[in-house]
Amino acid sequence: MSSETTKKFPPDFFWGAATASYQVEGGIENTDWAKAAQEGRVPICGKACDHFNRFEADFDIAKSLGHNAHRFSIEWARIEPEEGKFNAEAIEHYRAVLSALNARGIKPFVTLWHFTLPLWFSEKGGFEQKNSPQIFARYCKFVVSQLDDVCTDYVTLNEPEIFSSLGWIRGAWPPFKRFTLIDFSHDVSKEHRQTESTARKSIGSFFVFLKVLKNLAKAHNLAYVEIKAVSPDVLISSLKHVHVFDSNRNIFNKLKAHIANYFLNHYFLKKLSGTVDYYSLNYYRYTKFGDTAVYPVSDMGWKLNPENIYEALMYLAQFKKPIIISEAGIADAKDVYRADYITKQVLGIWRAIQDGADVRGFMYWSLLDNYEWDLGFEKRFGLVEIDYTTLERKIRPSAYIYKRICEQNAVQ
Ligand code: BGC
């Protein structure tokens, strides 16, 4: 590698990949998503990648790919299958998962909640309930108090804005409630149309969306305080999905970008009350209203703008805290774009670091192909391909390009 073109990263930078419990573990039947699957509203998740039983072998693969960090989530419904009753065996399982990572020199980052709700909690109204922040904080406090000797870094909530907008504005995800006026928007993409068409529409859904977002922010704030009371030394992160909204010079497009940024980027962050040790960034998309340029698209139909992670990072950098990229990746079953996508993305990250963003790590989404929510198993984000019949794992060529970046702590 010529030193002139080599872009070095700070020492101790974390390089890895991410997963989420429901999407990879298999065998989780007591959640709102499992119920929606039984009702035929979303695809069945079933055994998924059977990562619950195969995590050791999967971490061996991550290690062989040069990863020194890994993000995964704990399934709330396993830990608290009935309200207020915590399951010791489930804690022991996640202790084994964390120990397996530590033993391989892979630093764990745990997400306490990644979209799926225990059935008892969703049947009581989920995050629409007034006391949902207290219920969530009690769960978080319990988990961290049990695992703080094997893991020091926790994310509370995965993508509160995506969860609430797909649940209460689009109606594509449980509880399938749709804001009537969204039908008039020209910019909604088509990928969720099957579930959206069965949603219950109302004008009031918009106000419930705002209430849910508020409760999620309260849940984060309270979880932060309660966790710190029992485990003062752990670090707690607020995870922000930043969809970068930009526009051309047209005044209406500027207004659209402003409204989208307000509700999908600023609204949640404004409600956090100093309860952030560092930010986690999930970045997938950049939308420029009025842009007529044609971009290649991923298997999700999303335009490929990997380098615009730069704007997402500079947005978070204004809060003057460290940042870990907790997710960024591409659905690309044939693996034609992924290597270039990762390389351009890493260059965008490097540029943001030069411009002052305190970025400490990057977790590609995802280590394994997995259950892509209402879209089932067809979309392939993995560095590792899964054969869902045999559960065989096969490393994709792009994973080796990423491996070189991880091992050299640099990109060209
Ligand atoms: C979510 C993941 C999802 C990924 C790709 C993120 O919004 O956290 O669960 O699989 O995007 O759509």
Side-chain angles (χ1 to χ4, degrees):
M1 213 190 262
S2 111
S3 56
E4 281 158 43
T5 51
T6 301
K7 313 249 183 312
K8 285 240 166 254
F9 277 72
D12 304 324
F13 198 81
F14 293 115
W15 296 104
T19 64
S21 49
Y22 194 74
Q23 294 178 271
V24 294
E25 283 184 358
I28 301 169
E29 296 302 338
N30 54 345
T31 65
D32 54 343
W33 274 84
K35 182 164 180 244
Q38 282 155 19
E39 290 166 353
R41 302 190 81 162
V42 296
I44 290 173
C45 187
K47 63 182 173 347
C49 311
D50 193 29
H51 180 69
F52 188 80
N53 295 307
R54 296 169 194 242
F55 64 89
E56 298 251 10
D58 290 338
F59 296 159
D60 284 340
I61 296 177
K63 179 83 191 155
S64 78
L65 290 175
H67 299 188
N68 64 7
H70 181 73
R71 169 181 175 235
F72 72 96
S73 74
I74 285 185
E75 186 65 38
W76 182 2
R78 285 195 195 277
I79 303 285
E80 193 177 355
E82 283 176 62
E83 183 166 9
K85 295 202 176 134
F86 297 103
N87 180 335
E89 252 177 62
I91 286 290
E92 280 323 302
H93 170 78
Y94 288 113
R95 170 173 290 282
V97 172
L98 287 161
S99 303
L101 287 169
N102 288 327
R104 287 165 179 74
I106 301 179
K107 161 115 177 146
F109 289 85
V110 161
T111 305
L112 291 161
W113 172 76
H114 197 120
F115 296 154
T116 42
L117 303 177
L119 199 52
W120 60 264
F121 179 73
S122 71
E123 285 181 340
K124 281 167 62 139
F127 281 105
E128 290 185 19
Q129 297 167 85
K130 200 162 189 261
N131 65 344
S132 52
Q134 282 75 12
I135 298 174
F136 178 72
R138 179 184 61 188
Y139 151 73
C140 292
K141 175 178 161 182
F142 174 76
V143 171
V144 180
S145 71
Q146 300 294 304
L147 297 175
D148 60 359
D149 58 325
V150 276
C151 180
T152 53
D153 285 67
Y154 296 88
V155 165
T156 50
L157 305 161
N158 184 65
E159 300 185 351
E161 298 91 342
I162 296 295
F163 168 76
S164 37
S165 61
L166 285 172
W168 285 266
I169 298 289
R170 305 275 300 271
W173 285 6
F176 305 105
K177 296 185 182 172
R178 185 171 172 86
F179 176 43
T180 317
L181 299 187
I182 200 70
D183 290 351
F184 298 106
S185 164
H186 297 299
D187 289 296
V188 288
S189 58
K190 298 281 179 282
E191 77 259 25
H192 303 289
R193 62 183 172 278
Q194 205 165 328
T195 40
E196 280 176 283
S197 62
T198 68
R200 187 147 42 92
K201 287 190 202 176
S202 74
I203 291 282
S205 196
F206 179 74
F207 300 99
V208 190
F209 158 77
L210 293 181
K211 180 165 81 179
V212 168
L213 260 184
K214 252 187 227 167
N215 282 342
L216 287 165
K218 276 192 197 157
H220 168 87
N221 290 336
L222 200 58
Y224 184 98
V225 172
E226 300 233 339
I227 293 171
K228 291 280 177 168
V230 288
S231 306
D233 297 333
V234 302
L235 295 177
I236 302 169
S237 172
S238 166
L239 186 146
K240 182 75 193 79
H241 169 273
V242 180
H243 183 150
V244 179
F245 293 103
D246 203 348
S247 71
N248 64 1
R249 294 160 68 120
N250 176 293
I251 186 81
F252 292 109
N253 288 329
K254 277 189 190 300
L255 185 66
K256 272 193 207 169
H258 184 77
I259 293 173
N261 268 320
Y262 180 77
F263 285 112
L264 295 174
N265 289 328
H266 312 322
Y267 187 82
F268 183 81
L269 288 179
K270 277 195 341 191
K271 301 213 167 327
L272 303 184
S273 47
T275 48
V276 181
D277 296 329
Y278 64 95
Y279 287 95
S280 297
L281 167 70
N282 285 9
Y283 168 79
Y284 289 91
R285 302 181 73 179
Y286 167 83
T287 298
K288 186 169 178 181
F289 294 107
D291 188 8
T292 49
V294 179
Y295 301 89
V297 294
S298 73
D299 296 347
M300 295 289 280
W302 296 347
K303 289 182 204 159
L304 300 188
N305 302 103
E307 60 284 351
N308 293 98
I309 197 168
Y310 171 87
E311 279 84 358
L313 287 167
M314 295 317 287
Y315 169 71
L316 283 183
Q318 66 179 299
F319 303 109
K320 310 262 178 259
K321 297 268 181 188
I323 305 167
I324 293 274
I325 296 147
S326 36
E327 271 184 46
I330 175 174
D332 179 22
K334 298 205 175 103
D335 205 37
V336 282
Y337 294 117
R338 188 175 283 103
D340 185 54
Y341 186 92
I342 293 176
T343 306
K344 286 193 174 134
Q345 192 139 75
V346 172
L347 282 166
I349 299 167
W350 183 85
R351 202 154 65 81
I353 295 174
Q354 309 316 301
D355 289 349
D358 182 6
V359 188
R360 307 279 177 95
F362 172 67
M363 313 287 156
Y364 174 81
W365 181 269
S366 170
L367 178 63
L368 311 171
D369 284 343
N370 58 53
Y371 177 78
E372 180 53 29
W373 305 112
D374 55 310
L375 307 178
F377 288 103
E378 187 204 323
K379 308 293 176 200
R380 306 278 183 151
F381 281 88
L383 293 172
V384 178
E385 180 182 348
I386 303 285
D387 176 328
Y388 289 109
T389 313
T390 61
L391 293 176
E392 192 198 330
R393 275 71 172 146
K394 197 160 137 206
I395 298 174
R396 292 201 163 97
S398 56
Y400 294 105
I401 303 292
Y402 182 43
K403 174 181 164 132
R404 201 163 64 205
I405 295 174
C406 302
E407 288 182 344
Q408 298 187 338
N409 196 32
V411 65
Q412 268 194 316

